Amino acid sequence: MATTDDPLLLLRHSIAAGSKIIPTTSADSSEEAPLSAATHLVFTHPSRIAVPIDAPTRFTSSEGKAVDVRSIYFAWLNREFAIPEYNAVAAKLNDEMAGAATVHMFAFVERLVLFTFLEGAQEESEFIKPSAGDKDATTGAGAAATGATLKVSQAVLSRAGRGTLDPRLAQIYNGERRMGDRNTILRGIKPTDFSHVRKLAAPFMTRKPGGPPLAAGVNGANPSLALNQKPARRPDPIILLSPSASALLRMSNAKAFLEGGRYTPPDHNSTSTMLHISRLIKDIDPARPMRFILVEGPEQFKPEYWNRVVAVFTTGQAWQFKNYRWSNPAELFKHVLGVYCGWRGDQPPEAVRVFGHKVLTCSVEKWRDPGQPGAETSRWRDREVVEAIWKGIEGNMRAKGWRKDAAPSSI
């Protein structure tokens, strides 16, 4: 078969030269048409040649059937697609042709061989039948050359003679193994089922506190791995302060009061949004202090954070609870300890008294300017108030199920 009559070589030469390939509706037309309606493929290099688009080629499928020109050209146009994406666009083209013709669905190895041939990196393959000229060249070469000599096809030599490929480079290409890219290597004809990996991983999976149960038949703990497992990290308890400007405890002075046992007036210019304080809760974990998180509002809360709230400081104003999980104070203080701090000698607000015994009421000595005589003599009571607050928080934590290595799953 002459080069001008071989669609594979015409396509290969056109790709190497970068010339235009036009699907048309007739052999004489030069107007581009969609592949679903085209009847011919027009090559413009080295001269204008029109080939019927349904003509068979020397490329054969795994079943031994000759693949037509349309399928070869369509595969080259979509060479960047992985197998699943390519099959999808090929199926779409088949639907557009409505049974008049069908595009061949190339397998992984078929595509790899086709692309390496069209790119000029391979000459021979079990999928490509040799042309008559190649057979004659092989016979002559076998009579005149030794088995150690690499055979270079007449098509490559003719292309090399025009200056597009060095003959020595053509010999190297003939012995080269095409590797492909990550898409062609990692993706095959069928999707890989990795469901068996779940069974292999099951012994290494343990149930987290508060997490969903493991699949049926999976043990929550593997005795053989017990020595290698790290202890679960205990989540930090959360204390909500009142954002009210009239609250005695704000972000600016809560740490000094609850951790240091000394009251100072709040700084209303403070911009802190979160604090950490440490306290040893002996009945829960006598070995290490617990770290508490102090915030003024639950705006950044995830739903599970509410299970870690151990106290809510309030001034009795109901608007404080608007964005809480339980916006009704009576319902809120069934789940969380309430704390009200007021001045010693002043009566708590009526709203706090309505909340009932679920709200711990504490009285702090009124603040006096340290420059006044005797201002420091009453500050010793601050420590007494702080210990009463922590006693209430500790009792509430024990009742809700706090342990040294875990928080309660619900409150």
Side-chain angles (χ1 to χ4, degrees):
M1 182 183 289
T3 300
T4 55
D5 299 330
D6 189 344
L8 276 181
L9 290 181
L10 284 172
L11 181 57
R12 179 175 176 171
H13 293 169
S14 298
I15 292 171
S19 61
K20 194 171 184 180
I21 304 171
I22 310 171
T24 64
T25 55
S26 68
D28 300 328
S29 173
S30 296
E31 184 177 350
E32 186 169 354
L35 279 179
S36 58
T39 60
H40 289 76
L41 204 62
V42 175
F43 298 92
T44 58
H45 177 84
S47 60
R48 188 184 188 282
I49 301 175
V51 177
I53 203 166
D54 292 331
T57 67
R58 291 189 292 118
F59 193 95
T60 58
S61 65
S62 302
E63 294 80 14
K65 297 180 180 179
V67 180
D68 61 294
V69 175
R70 179 190 280 111
S71 299
I72 297 289
Y73 180 60
F74 181 76
W76 175 255
L77 290 178
N78 297 280
R79 61 189 178 279
E80 299 297 334
F81 287 176
I83 290 291
E85 289 81 2
Y86 166 75
N87 288 340
V89 295
K92 182 178 179 182
L93 179 59
N94 287 338
D95 292 340
E96 293 175 357
M97 292 187 293
T102 57
V103 171
H104 175 66
M105 301 284 193
F106 284 88
F108 168 73
V109 178
E110 294 175 353
R111 274 168 46 102
L112 190 59
V113 170
L114 175 63
F115 297 158
T116 53
F117 175 83
L118 294 178
E119 290 170 351
Q122 183 176 347
E123 297 301 325
E124 296 179 345
S125 170
E126 59 179 317
F127 297 106
I128 302 175
K129 293 181 178 180
S131 64
D134 287 342
K135 291 180 180 179
D136 296 340
T138 303
T139 304
T146 64
T149 303
L150 288 174
K151 181 181 72 66
V152 183
S153 70
Q154 294 297 327
V156 173
L157 289 176
S158 63
R159 189 159 70 102
R162 294 195 299 272
T164 58
L165 187 65
D166 187 273
R168 291 174 298 175
L169 193 57
Q171 290 183 350
I172 295 173
Y173 281 161
N174 277 341
E176 184 183 52
R177 179 183 178 185
R178 186 69 175 176
M179 299 301 295
D181 58 13
R182 64 182 181 88
N183 289 325
T184 57
I185 295 299
L186 297 179
R187 296 179 183 271
I189 303 173
K190 299 179 180 178
T192 305
D193 182 12
F194 291 101
S195 60
H196 66 284
V197 177
R198 181 178 179 86
K199 296 180 180 179
L200 298 176
F204 301 94
M205 300 169 62
T206 57
R207 181 181 178 182
K208 295 182 178 180
L214 296 177
V218 178
N219 294 326
N222 188 342
S224 62
L225 301 177
L227 296 178
N228 297 327
Q229 293 176 351
K230 295 181 179 179
R233 182 182 179 275
R234 178 181 59 204
D236 297 330
I238 299 174
I239 296 176
L240 282 168
L241 299 179
S242 172
S244 174
S246 62
L248 299 189
L249 287 182
R250 300 294 301 277
M251 297 297 289
S252 59
N253 65 343
K255 183 178 179 68
F257 184 67
L258 294 176
E259 196 173 55
R262 180 177 176 81
Y263 180 81
T264 56
D267 179 7
H268 295 286
N269 295 323
S270 174
T271 58
S272 299
T273 58
M274 184 174 67
L275 292 174
H276 295 97
I277 63 175
S278 296
R279 172 79 180 187
L280 184 65
I281 308 296
K282 296 181 179 179
D283 286 354
I284 296 177
D285 189 353
R288 52 176 177 164
M290 299 186 72
R291 189 177 75 160
F292 291 78
I293 299 175
L294 272 64
V295 292
E296 284 189 346
E299 288 78 13
Q300 304 299 325
F301 270 27
K302 296 179 181 179
E304 62 269 21
Y305 285 6
W306 281 102
N307 295 329
R308 294 160 50 188
V309 177
V310 296
V312 173
F313 282 75
T314 180
T315 58
Q317 296 167 297
W319 59 263
Q320 174 186 347
F321 317 122
K322 181 179 178 180
N323 297 324
Y324 282 24
R325 179 178 178 181
W326 303 281
S327 57
N328 186 340
E331 182 67 20
L332 170 67
F333 295 122
K334 288 181 181 179
H335 300 275
V336 184
L337 173 69
V339 181
Y340 168 79
C341 284
W343 295 124
R344 186 178 297 275
D346 293 349
Q347 290 293 325
E350 179 64 24
V352 173
R353 293 197 293 270
V354 171
F355 294 160
H357 68 283
K358 294 295 184 179
V359 177
L360 175 64
T361 303
C362 302
S363 300
V364 180
E365 288 290 333
K366 291 185 178 181
W367 175 257
R368 291 191 294 174
D369 189 346
Q372 296 181 359
E376 296 294 323
T377 58
S378 60
R379 295 267 61 94
W380 62 271
R381 294 180 181 272
D382 293 346
R383 174 67 67 177
E384 181 181 356
V385 175
V386 169
E387 292 301 323
I389 293 174
W390 281 117
K391 183 178 180 180
I393 293 176
E394 183 175 351
N396 177 71
M397 292 177 68
R398 289 198 310 270
K400 296 300 181 183
W402 279 86
R403 300 192 307 272
K404 66 179 181 179
D405 58 352
S409 58
S410 64
I411 59 172

